[in-house]
Every structure is written in C-alpha cells, then in structure tokens.
Amino acid sequence: MGLKPVEALKKGLKILQTEVKAKKEHLQAQLAARKPISPDDETWLDHDGNLVDFVVVVNTLETASDYERELTRLDEQQQSLVKKLREAAGEIAKAVGKKHKRPEPKPKDDTAKAKAKDSKAKDLVFTRKEIATLQQRIEILDWYQANGKNQSKTAKQFAPLYPNL
C-alpha cells in the first residue's frame, strides 16, 4: 500500500535533508571558524542547501484540512517543490532527458504582439487583491451611475487606476 500524500512528502524531505546535511555542516563549520568559502558554496547554501521552502510547503499541506484543495492553492514554485519532494521519495519517476509526450508549440513570428504583451505585463504589477476604501467605492459608484450603469465600462475605466481591486 502506498504512503499517504503528506507522508510521502515528509519522506522526500527527510531524504533531501540527509543529502544536504554533510555539505551544509562542513560549510557552516568553515563560516563559524571565520574561514572564507567560495561564491559557489555561498550560492549553494542560499539555494540548494536551504530547505526552508520545502519545510514550509510540507507544513502547509500537513496542517490543511483538505490536502487536495490546498495543493491547488499553491503557486508554481511551491508546486515544483512538491514535485521534487515526491521525486526524492520515489513516488514518481524522475523525468529523464528533455523528451516530452507532446512537443511544445513553436512560437509564432508575431514579435510585435509578443513585445506588446511583454510591455503590458511589465507595466502592471499585481501584488495581491485589495479591498476598496470608502472613497474609492464612492468614486466608482458615482462614475457607474453617471455613465449608464454599465459594469463593463466601469471595470475598464478603473482597471488602470486600481489594478489590485
């Protein structure tokens, strides 16, 4: 019988921790003795040797009342961490090579459209959804009522002003 999903993630985390442990302890001992370490080792400690993100994902999924729903709420980076944990636990086979079941679609030559999309994406920065203040609500409702009570027009009017509403 297979492991429960959270148990598999915990197993993968333990395996990753044991793989990282020896090198991490060696580098931390050098730092404690005030000996210099290479820039590559510093980068390794900050990225591959740092398993904090993995621990956070496992704790999030472990404390969730509904594992599947919480799994869908994770962002792309967290989803990739879950995949790595599953691979480490041996739950799913690692992808070997760069072969895909379906070939990736080739990009079209519409570079002008692509550049326009990129510039729009760079202009708008979405952090998180905000709640409108009373003043913003009044401003939006006044415009809505003055312009024919059309929600689509109102949304288009205020999207550039308040992109996070």
Side-chain angles (χ1 to χ4, degrees):
M1 185 174 162
L3 295 172
K4 291 182 179 179
V6 175
E7 297 302 321
L9 297 179
K10 285 182 180 180
K11 179 181 175 187
L13 180 61
K14 284 207 183 271
I15 291 170
L16 287 177
Q17 286 173 333
T18 55
E19 289 175 358
V20 168
K21 185 178 180 180
K23 184 173 181 179
K24 190 173 184 178
E25 286 177 350
H26 172 71
L27 292 174
Q28 287 176 337
Q30 282 185 328
L31 289 172
R34 300 205 183 269
K35 293 181 182 177
I37 60 173
S38 72
D40 290 336
D41 288 338
E42 285 181 24
T43 304
W44 183 86
L45 274 175
D46 289 340
H47 299 286
D48 294 337
N50 186 353
L51 301 178
V52 172
D53 292 335
F54 289 99
V55 173
V56 169
V57 169
V58 170
N59 286 340
T60 301
L61 292 172
E62 184 178 27
T63 58
S65 60
D66 184 3
Y67 173 84
E68 293 299 325
R69 186 178 57 162
E70 194 66 33
L71 189 61
T72 59
R73 289 182 178 177
L74 297 177
D75 61 26
E76 285 183 35
Q77 186 218 6
Q78 291 172 327
Q79 297 245 352
S80 70
L81 295 175
V82 169
K83 184 177 178 183
K84 287 178 186 177
L85 288 171
R86 287 181 178 164
E87 287 175 356
E91 190 173 285
I92 57 176
K94 291 183 180 179
V96 179
K98 293 186 177 181
K99 293 184 179 180
H100 297 285
K101 289 184 179 178
R102 283 189 234 158
E104 293 181 14
K106 294 181 181 179
K108 296 181 181 179
D109 292 335
D110 299 333
T111 55
K113 290 181 181 177
K115 288 181 182 178
K117 286 182 181 178
D118 289 344
S119 66
K120 287 181 183 177
K122 290 178 184 175
D123 293 343
L124 298 176
V125 177
F126 296 103
T127 52
R128 65 181 195 145
K129 189 172 180 180
E130 296 175 358
I131 298 173
T133 64
L134 182 60
Q135 183 180 3
Q136 290 171 333
R137 289 178 189 179
I138 292 170
E139 177 187 0
I140 293 168
L141 285 172
D142 286 345
W143 193 95
Y144 170 77
Q145 291 172 350
N147 291 284
K149 296 185 179 182
N150 188 329
Q151 286 184 352
S152 298
K153 286 183 182 178
T154 306
K156 288 177 186 174
Q157 172 71 23
F158 289 98
L161 295 173
Y162 308 118
N164 294 343
L165 287 183

